[in-house]
Amino acid sequence: MTRVTGSFATLGLGLVHTFQGTDTAVRRICNGRGWPPLDPKARLCHNRPVANERPVLGIDFGTTNTAAAWCDAQGKIHLVPVGEKSYTLPSVVWFGPGEKVLVGALAREQLLDDPHRTVVAPKRFIGRRFKSEFVTRNKDRYPYEIIEDEQGLCAAAIEGSPVSFTDVAFHVIRRILELANATAGFEFEDAVLTVPAHFSYGQRRGVRTAAEMAGLEVRAMVNEPTAAALYYAKHKDAGGRVLVFDLGGGTFDATLLDVSRRVATVLSTGGDPYLGGRDFDSTIVTHLLNVVTFEQGRKLDPSKVVMQRLLFAAEAAKIRLTKEEVAHIKVPLVASDGTGFVDLEYDLTRAELEEISEGLIARAVGIVGDVLAAAGCSDLDVGEVIFVGGQTRMPAIRDRLTRRFKHDPKKHVHPELGVAIGAAILGRTLNLPRGPALVDVVPMPIGVMAPTLGTKEVIGRNAVVPSTHTVTIETRPPDGQPMNLAVYEAADAAAVERELLGMLTVPADWMAAHAGDLTLEMRIGFDFDLTCAIVSPHGSKQLPLQPV
Ligand SMILES: Nc1ncnc2c1ncn2[C@@H]1O[C@H](COP(=O)(O)OP(=O)(O)OP(=O)(O)O)[C@@H](O)[C@H]1O
Ligand SMILES: [Mg+2]
C-alpha cells in the first residue's frame, strides 16, 4: 500500500536550532510565526509543565533493530550500547515455556531451533486489525502463527494463546530501557518514541502503550524521517530542500523538508508499510528456490526452519554485496537430489541482486516521485538527499538517487542510529525553558460518526500536533438517550474503509441538563494521544475514548 500524506509549505513543521558549543537548543517555531493558534475556546490545551531536567530517552523501535540514545544536560549525545561495539538490539522476542522470555540476539538465535515461539518484526503487525487487508495478505509469511485477539487485533500465537504485538514490543522496549539505565547510572522515566511517518493512530497507540507498560512516560512521538532531519539539521547551516529517504528493515518513508537557517519544515511525506530490507531478503530466497529447483533440478524442503536458514543466508549475502561483487551462499543440508540431503550452494553476484530487486527499488523511487509531486516540487528543487535505514547501504539504491538528484549522499546521519539520536535531541528540547522543538503532523484524518450526525471530520490530515479542533454537533438523539459517537481514522476524508479508534458517549442526563449548541473538542497531543470533550454554553465534560 502506498500513501502520500502531507504537502505544501503551510504544514509548518518548524524547528529552529541555535548552537551553543556542542549544545543544541531547539526552539519552537511554526513557519517563523510561533505555534499555530489554538482555538480560544479550547479547554483541552494542557501541555505538561516542564517539571525538571530529567534526561529523556529517545527510542527508535525498529522492525529489525531497536536503538536508543539520550542527550545529557550539556547537550552531549550518548548512545545505548547493546553489545560489544553494537548499538542495536534485534527486535526479536522468544517466548519459552513458563514465563521464560529472551530478547534481542539470543532470541534471534532461537529462530532456527524454535521458530514457532520466536516473534520477529513485531512492528509490522502492532496495532493492526486481524481482519484488515494488510494482515490477511501477510500473516502467513512469518515463522510464528498470527491469530485474532479479543479486541480484534492481530496477535502472535504462542502455544495457541494470543500474545499481543504490544506485549512483544513491551519486551523489546523494556530491554533497551534496562540497558540505558545500566549505562546512564540512573533510571529514565521519560521517553520520546519514533514511528514511521505513515503509521496510523492505532499503530502509534500500540507503540506508546508498550513504552508505558515498561514504566516510561511518553513525552512525544515523532515521525522517523523528521527525527533524522533533526539530527541532520544539527550539522547543517545552509538552506535548501532535503529529501530523507528512509528504507529500514520493514518500512519505507520518503519525506521532503525545507531546512533554511536552521529551520526545518516538513513539506510532504509518504511511505509504504511493507517495504524494507526483509523484502530484499525474501526476494533473494525466492530467487534461490527457483535456481535450485529449475536450474539445478533439486528439491527443497520448504519447512519454516529451512526458510529461516535461507533468509539468514540471503541477508548475509546481501550485506556482503555492499562491498563485494560476488557472495558465495552455502546452506548445509537443505536440498535433496534423490540420494539424500545436500548443501545448497550458489554464487550471487551484485548485478544479479540488483536485477532481482529492481521491483522493490522502483517502488521506493515511485513514492519519492509522489512525495515531490504532492509538494509541487521537481527533482531540481531537491538540494540534498539523506539516507536513513540499513537497507540504504545497498550501492544500487545510493547510485540511483545520486544519479537522479545529482548530489552525493550526505554522510552526516548514521543510517541505523540517526533516528534514535534525533529523538534524543528532541527529548532534550522538551526540558528546555523555551519548550519543545517540534510540531509533527497527523498522517490521516480523524473524525466522528453517529446515526443522527453522519460523518464529520474533526482533525484534518496534516494537522500539526499538538492542536485542538472543534466541530459543532447539530443534531441530538431523541430525549432520554445518550449520544454515542464513533471515532474513526481514514486514509483520506472520502475513504470508504475507516479504522474505528473508539467510542465517545455523552450521557443522557448531561444532554438533558445542557440545552443549546453542542461542540465536540478533540485534542491531539505531542504523544499522538487523543483527548475529547463535549461543550455546551453551560459547561463542558471530558469524554474518555472507550476501546471497541
Ligand atoms: N550493508 C547492507 N546492505 C544492505 N542492507 C543492509 C546492510 N546492512 C544492513 N542492511 C539491512 O538493513 C535492515 C535493518 O536496517 P535498520 O536497522 O535501519 O531497520 P529498522 O530500523 O529495524 O527498520 P524500520 O525502520 O523499517 O522499522 C535489515 O534488513 C538489514 O538486512
Ligand atoms: Mg528504522
Side-chain angles (χ1 to χ4, degrees):
M1 183 178 64
T2 301
R3 187 180 295 141
V4 176
T5 60
S7 61
F8 318 124
T10 49
L11 288 186
L13 269 204
L15 351 160
V16 173
H17 294 234
T18 52
F19 292 84
Q20 300 157 352
T22 56
D23 188 17
T24 306
V26 186
R27 99 181 130 79
R28 67 189 184 189
I29 186 166
C30 179
N31 285 345
R33 285 180 274 109
W35 285 107
L38 292 173
D39 185 319
K41 285 188 295 177
R43 288 157 178 83
L44 296 169
C45 175
H46 301 303
N47 255 347
R48 189 176 168 277
V50 174
N52 52 39
E53 281 286 318
R54 290 187 305 204
V56 177
L57 189 63
I59 302 177
D60 171 16
F61 170 60
T63 309
T64 321
N65 298 306
T66 293
W70 81 93
C71 253
D72 65 23
Q74 285 70 45
K76 189 170 169 223
I77 290 162
H78 301 260
L79 280 159
V80 175
V82 173
E84 227 176 284
K85 294 194 197 147
S86 168
Y87 295 97
T88 52
L89 175 74
S91 306
V92 185
V93 181
W94 174 75
F95 294 91
E99 300 283 288
K100 197 156 187 232
V101 171
L102 294 175
V103 183
L106 290 175
R108 198 168 184 270
E109 283 170 17
Q110 295 292 328
L111 270 171
L112 292 181
D113 296 336
D114 204 1
H116 305 285
R117 288 168 170 272
T118 311
V119 184
V120 288
K123 186 173 167 183
R124 279 195 155 169
F125 294 102
I126 196 164
R128 284 188 184 274
R129 305 221 141 255
F130 181 75
K131 293 204 170 78
S132 67
E133 189 207 328
F134 179 93
V135 175
T136 309
R137 204 164 9 106
N138 297 303
K139 68 181 169 45
D140 296 326
R141 294 193 187 180
Y142 290 84
Y144 51 91
E145 196 191 346
I146 294 177
I147 55 175
E148 185 171 13
D149 74 6
E150 282 171 358
Q151 283 125 42
L153 297 176
C154 57
I158 304 295
E159 290 208 332
S161 301
V163 174
S164 83
F165 285 99
T166 299
D167 284 348
V168 180
F170 151 72
H171 286 291
V172 176
I173 290 173
R174 187 176 64 174
R175 181 71 192 126
I176 201 88
L177 174 63
E178 284 168 1
L179 292 165
N181 290 343
T183 310
F186 56 83
E187 298 208 343
F188 288 94
E189 294 173 9
D190 296 351
V192 167
L193 306 179
T194 61
V195 284
H198 59 263
F199 246 31
S200 70
Y201 180 82
Q203 291 169 291
R204 285 167 200 259
R205 182 166 52 188
V207 179
R208 189 182 59 232
T209 305
E212 286 168 354
M213 285 162 65
L216 288 164
E217 181 171 344
V218 178
R219 298 282 298 278
M221 292 189 95
V222 59
N223 293 334
E224 287 166 12
T226 314
L230 252 179
Y231 175 31
Y232 166 79
K234 186 172 155 55
H235 297 272
K236 180 76 187 168
D237 277 346
R241 298 247 156 115
V242 174
L243 176 73
V244 180
F245 186 95
D246 181 357
L247 186 61
T251 59
F252 173 66
D253 279 327
T255 298
L256 184 71
L257 299 104
D258 189 77
V259 179
S260 69
R261 280 169 290 144
R262 293 173 178 166
V263 179
T265 306
V266 172
L267 303 174
S268 173
T269 185
D272 187 329
Y274 219 96
L275 180 55
R278 227 187 127 81
D279 304 297
F280 286 74
D281 306 342
S282 299
T283 301
I284 298 173
V285 171
T286 306
H287 181 63
L288 289 178
L289 293 177
N290 285 338
V291 169
V292 169
T293 312
F294 299 113
E295 288 179 22
Q296 299 180 356
R298 292 167 163 188
K299 256 185 80 189
L300 262 170
D301 166 15
S303 74
K304 289 197 165 176
V305 172
V306 167
M307 286 304 281
Q308 191 53 57
R309 289 169 68 194
L310 292 171
L311 277 169
F312 277 155
E315 183 179 21
K318 174 188 79 175
I319 292 173
R320 277 207 305 282
L321 289 174
T322 302
K323 299 235 164 78
E324 292 159 24
E325 288 297 328
V326 185
H328 182 66
I329 298 175
K330 181 171 178 178
V331 191
L333 302 175
V334 291
S336 58
D337 64 357
T339 61
F341 278 99
V342 293
D343 302 345
L344 179 151
E345 290 200 58
Y346 188 71
D347 283 328
L348 183 70
T349 65
R350 189 191 280 182
E352 219 174 340
L353 172 63
E354 287 172 9
E355 197 185 319
I356 60 175
S357 0
E358 174 51 32
L360 297 171
I361 298 173
R363 258 164 72 193
V365 171
I367 292 168
V368 168
D370 295 345
V371 165
L372 293 184
C377 290
S378 75
D379 289 6
L380 293 174
D381 295 319
V382 175
E384 282 178 10
V385 182
I386 304 174
F387 289 101
V388 180
Q391 187 58 44
T392 63
R393 292 181 186 275
M394 185 178 183
I397 293 177
R398 296 201 165 213
D399 292 348
R400 175 82 70 94
L401 285 144
T402 304
R403 272 204 313 277
R404 175 166 170 178
F405 293 104
K406 306 195 172 38
H407 299 289
D408 286 337
K410 292 294 160 211
K411 300 238 167 73
H412 296 310
V413 177
H414 188 289
E416 284 96 354
L417 303 174
V419 170
I421 295 173
I425 292 170
L426 177 62
R428 169 151 165 73
T429 69
L430 294 173
N431 279 342
L432 292 175
R434 281 190 187 126
L438 180 67
V439 192
D440 226 325
V441 289
V442 179
M444 283 173 256
I446 294 174
V448 285
M449 288 188 283
T452 51
L453 194 69
T455 304
K456 269 193 185 248
E457 185 178 307
V458 185
I459 302 178
R461 167 187 284 180
N462 299 323
V464 294
V465 292
S467 58
T468 301
H469 305 259
T470 57
V471 285
T472 307
I473 308 283
E474 291 111 358
T475 51
R476 294 168 172 243
D479 281 349
Q481 287 190 22
M483 183 162 67
N484 293 313
L485 299 165
V487 180
Y488 71 84
E489 180 185 53
D492 63 67
V496 180
E497 233 184 81
R498 297 165 197 276
E499 175 87 7
L500 208 51
L501 302 181
M503 295 296 297
L504 301 174
T505 302
V506 188
D509 56 347
W510 192 91
M511 303 260 291
H514 289 75
D517 287 349
L518 293 182
T519 302
L520 179 72
E521 292 183 353
M522 213 178 252
R523 178 171 175 78
I524 186 135
F526 229 133
D527 56 359
F528 280 79
D529 203 9
L530 278 178
T531 30
C532 307
I534 189 89
V535 182
S536 85
H538 315 292
S540 67
K541 180 177 176 56
Q542 201 106 358
L543 302 176
L545 186 64
Q546 297 140 1
V548 280

